[in-house]
Amino acid sequence: MTMHTIKRIIIAGGGTAGWMAAASFGKLLGKTLDITLVESDEIGTVGVGEATIPPLLTLHKLLNINEQEFMAATNATFKLGISFENWRNVDEDYIHSFGTTGKDCWAAGFQHFWMKGQQLGIAAEYGDYCPELIAAQQNKFALLNNHSINYAYHLDATRYAGFLRKIAEMHGVKRVEGKIDKVHKCQDSGNITALQLQSGQIIEGDLFIDCTGFRALLIEQALHVGYDDWTHILPCDSALAVQTTSVEEPIPYTRSIAHEWGWQWKIPLQNRVGNGVVYCSKYVSDDEAKARLLASVTGDCLTEPRLIKFKTGQRRKHWHKNCVAIGLSSGFIEPLESTSIHLIQRSIVRLLQMLPYNQIEQSDIDEFNQQTEHEVNNIRDFIVLHYHVTNRSDSPFWNHCRNMDIPASLQHRIDLFKRTGRVFKVPNELFGENSWVQVMLGQGLLPEQYHPIVDMMSEQELDEFLKHIQSNVQRLVAQLPSHQTFIQHYCPTR
Ligand code: FAD
């Protein structure tokens, strides 16, 4: 039997990506591998990234994280979805919730039944058939024994990294503080051999995880894998973030409010609110965006507005040689659907699944890259959908988004849904039919027809079917306390 030659994993960077990787690898591999994380206090982290999506709960189970402890430590609140305000048009809102709308039906999605109901004038709003969405609207939340609610969290990114660090260190991960100055490579293989710190310290390893954020110190600056630029379909290139005091009870959803040149987020934590604008510098100056941000936040500013510049896109290779890019170093899709932290989690799990046995095999690298690219491209399409399918025509930014050429894969989905009301989740895709339908309808894409199977129901049967679902939703939500009341009992901050 061959000896395993991957013995030392070096994680460069200690933001959310670095510490998520360190905690996961430490917990699952810490007994057999030597794991070191290098981070620079001087450089710090990007400091944003506070809204998550439900699959994070799976990672937390894997890490044996106690939810109450985690929530108290990170000032977390519950999140049931995202409210998209002014996206379809000015003064028109919808919620993309994490819940299932209506009922799953093997032949035709619930939207087909709803569409006929609408035509007959017997259907309520589409969202009225989704418990998570109604709970969000009514600012309610609880964990129930008799019904599982699909949720995620809003969390404090800096505290989250600190929380994960404790788990990682408990499982033997070593932390080195210092600035990486040089990346040493083997002249023959091109593999990375060591990181050299400004202090002169050399850290050697077998497998390197690049979590250095937008700098992409290893994967790009040392290995030059290249970048696919998506600015033509996701033109926003700047963000400003500011934290404010809370002036009201935290709501259980993220707010995403569109402006003439981008959008604004509001993420309520237990103790404060995270705010920011994402915008396209071609259409608005940094100063103007900052003025708009500061004029629209409620509460007092706890931080100075922080400017972040980015280029949407992804690395041509997420894994190259003996280096795997995880987090912002691997690419950036703007945080409209809170997908970045999720992609970190997916890359960690995928790398665990393809952990080199003996030596790094090119076939593993290719498989990893192909799966990651496929997943990222589908998320990109979903994000582009929000911009492209809109009735807004009030600014050059929205005119560009409405008229821009979009990927053929997205055009196909839009055309299919428009003609037939059908949409299908492709294998290994993050967002399911339920999400696609909510956003397509929410953005104003109304199908021309519904599935013929719906006509098997008489009008009276359809009416009873719809009313039954709606009354179940109302009954369920009526049981829930307010989000704030639940948090106070369940996981107050210490
Ligand atoms: P960083 O946090 O930048 O960490 C990089 C690390 O590398 C730091 O520790 C730094 O010190 C270290 N480093 C860099 N260079 C060196 C060096 N030379 N030597 C030593 N160490 C070095 N994601 C979501 O899921 N939800 C959201 O709501 C969300 N909102 C976002 C909003 C904005 C405006 C932006 C820009 C991103 C958002 N994201 C969001 C993405 C999310 O912030 C990131 O995915 C997440 O924080 C991970 O970042 P990171 O760890 O890759 O990088």
Side-chain angles (χ1 to χ4, degrees):
M1 204 168 150
T2 40
M3 291 291 287
H4 290 189
T5 49
I6 302 288
K7 298 217 171 296
R8 298 162 302 178
I9 296 187
I10 310 298
I11 300 168
T16 306
W19 284 114
M20 276 173 84
S24 309
F25 296 148
K27 168 96 180 10
L28 296 160
L29 305 167
K31 284 189 183 145
T32 51
L33 296 183
D34 188 35
I35 304 167
T36 305
L37 182 144
V38 189
E39 67 176 328
S40 157
D41 290 342
E42 186 193 321
I43 294 176
T45 66
V46 72
V48 280
E50 309 204 311
T52 66
I53 53 174
L56 188 68
L57 274 75
T58 312
L59 185 83
H60 284 190
K61 277 197 190 112
L62 190 79
L63 296 178
N64 258 337
I65 287 178
N66 175 300
E67 185 174 65
Q68 286 160 282
E69 275 173 26
F70 147 74
M71 291 191 71
T74 60
N75 285 324
T77 58
F78 292 98
K79 174 180 169 189
L80 293 167
I82 305 172
S83 164
F84 287 98
E85 303 168 24
N86 302 338
W87 279 85
R88 175 179 178 157
N89 214 336
V90 177
D91 293 333
E92 290 185 38
D93 306 342
Y94 70 96
I95 291 182
H96 169 201
S97 91
F98 297 142
T100 301
T101 310
K103 262 194 180 144
D104 281 335
C105 169
W106 60 268
F110 176 73
Q111 71 272 18
H112 295 278
F113 297 86
W114 175 79
M115 272 153 38
K116 181 166 181 188
Q118 280 273 302
Q119 284 177 12
L120 294 171
I122 55 173
E125 292 291 312
Y126 188 67
D128 287 355
Y129 302 94
C130 175
E132 283 82 351
L133 190 145
I134 298 300
Q137 273 178 346
Q138 296 184 10
N139 197 2
K140 289 177 153 193
F141 186 85
L143 297 171
L144 299 173
N145 292 328
N146 57 351
H147 185 96
S148 93
I149 290 204
N150 218 14
Y151 66 93
Y153 313 105
H154 298 125
L155 51 82
D156 180 317
T158 307
R159 281 170 168 256
Y160 187 49
F163 182 80
L164 293 170
R165 177 178 162 186
K166 280 192 197 140
I167 299 176
E169 289 182 332
M170 200 169 77
H171 291 289
V173 174
K174 290 191 277 293
R175 172 184 184 263
V176 177
E177 200 285 317
K179 203 163 164 185
I180 302 161
D181 197 26
K182 264 195 202 126
V183 178
H184 292 281
K185 289 194 286 183
C186 167
Q187 282 199 335
D188 294 337
S189 66
N191 279 337
I192 296 174
T193 53
L195 306 180
Q196 182 172 335
L197 306 190
Q198 245 176 11
S199 62
Q201 186 182 352
I202 302 271
I203 301 169
E204 294 180 326
D206 305 312
L207 183 65
F208 290 81
I209 317 293
D210 187 346
C211 298
T212 60
F214 287 128
R215 286 179 178 77
L217 215 60
L218 281 59
I219 197 78
E220 193 59 61
Q221 291 192 39
L223 297 182
H224 315 292
V225 296
Y227 195 71
D228 279 333
D229 183 343
W230 293 338
T231 313
H232 58 295
I233 41 175
L234 290 171
C236 290
D237 57 5
S238 311
L240 277 156
V242 71
Q243 297 172 5
T244 56
T245 53
S246 313
V247 293
E248 57 189 5
E249 292 186 357
I251 48 172
Y253 57 90
T254 307
R255 288 183 66 195
S256 164
I257 306 151
H259 291 310
E260 304 92 270
W261 31 253
W263 61 281
Q264 174 172 4
W265 77 80
K266 289 193 181 201
I267 298 177
L269 302 186
Q270 290 189 43
N271 60 326
R272 63 162 172 85
V273 180
N275 310 269
V277 279
V278 173
Y279 55 97
C280 178
S281 61
K282 195 172 150 193
Y283 300 104
V284 66
S285 68
D286 295 340
D287 285 345
E288 212 181 313
K290 185 167 153 186
R292 178 70 76 86
L293 172 66
L294 294 178
S296 61
V297 294
T298 45
D300 299 329
C301 288
L302 297 168
T303 55
E304 277 297 308
R306 180 165 180 195
L307 179 64
I308 302 164
K309 292 282 172 185
F310 56 81
K311 191 194 277 180
T312 49
Q314 69 173 321
R315 296 268 162 243
R316 296 230 164 91
K317 291 173 185 167
H318 293 255
W319 183 349
H320 186 53
K321 306 281 180 190
N322 63 340
C323 172
V324 184
I326 298 184
L328 296 173
S329 64
S330 71
F332 186 63
I333 309 180
E334 58 185 85
L336 195 54
E337 288 279 358
S338 322
T339 44
S340 266
I341 294 175
H342 174 76
L343 284 172
I344 295 171
Q345 171 179 345
R346 292 290 300 140
S347 290
I348 290 169
V349 171
R350 192 169 289 128
L351 181 56
L352 281 165
Q353 287 168 341
M354 288 176 204
L355 192 75
Y357 296 145
N358 177 17
Q359 58 189 29
I360 295 173
E361 300 286 348
Q362 189 58 41
S363 51
D364 277 337
I365 296 182
D366 293 344
E367 181 67 27
F368 182 97
N369 285 334
Q370 189 256 321
Q371 284 189 19
T372 311
E373 202 183 309
H374 174 75
E375 185 165 37
V376 172
N377 287 347
N378 284 317
I379 292 176
R380 175 206 59 198
D381 282 5
F382 189 60
I383 303 299
V384 173
L385 170 73
H386 298 64
Y387 283 104
H388 182 63
V389 177
T390 175
N391 294 326
R392 283 192 75 145
S393 58
D394 55 308
S395 69
F397 172 77
W398 287 105
N399 288 338
H400 166 80
C401 294
R402 241 189 26 259
N403 294 319
M404 66 192 174
D405 285 337
I406 56 170
S409 44
L410 175 59
Q411 190 63 56
H412 166 71
R413 287 198 190 204
I414 291 174
D415 293 344
L416 184 68
F417 188 73
K418 197 168 169 207
R419 274 193 305 104
T420 66
R422 296 188 235 269
V423 63
F424 298 97
K425 176 178 170 154
V426 300
N428 291 323
E429 181 175 14
L430 168 61
F431 292 104
E433 287 91 345
N434 198 50
S435 289
W436 279 93
V437 172
Q438 288 187 71
V439 175
M440 283 172 158
L441 291 177
Q443 291 290 139
L445 189 69
L446 296 176
E448 288 157 13
Q449 324 169 57
Y450 57 81
H451 195 292
I453 208 166
V454 177
D455 287 331
M456 293 291 289
M457 270 187 187
S458 67
E459 185 176 335
Q460 193 193 338
E461 283 168 336
L462 180 62
D463 190 35
E464 282 165 12
F465 173 70
L466 292 171
K467 285 209 171 83
H468 180 68
I469 298 173
Q470 196 185 358
S471 65
N472 278 348
V473 168
Q474 287 166 349
R475 204 170 321 119
L476 180 80
V477 176
Q479 299 172 43
L480 303 176
S482 81
H483 179 225
Q484 171 73 358
T485 305
F486 186 73
I487 286 179
Q488 268 167 357
H489 283 92
Y490 187 68
C491 52
T493 45
R494 290 171 193 140

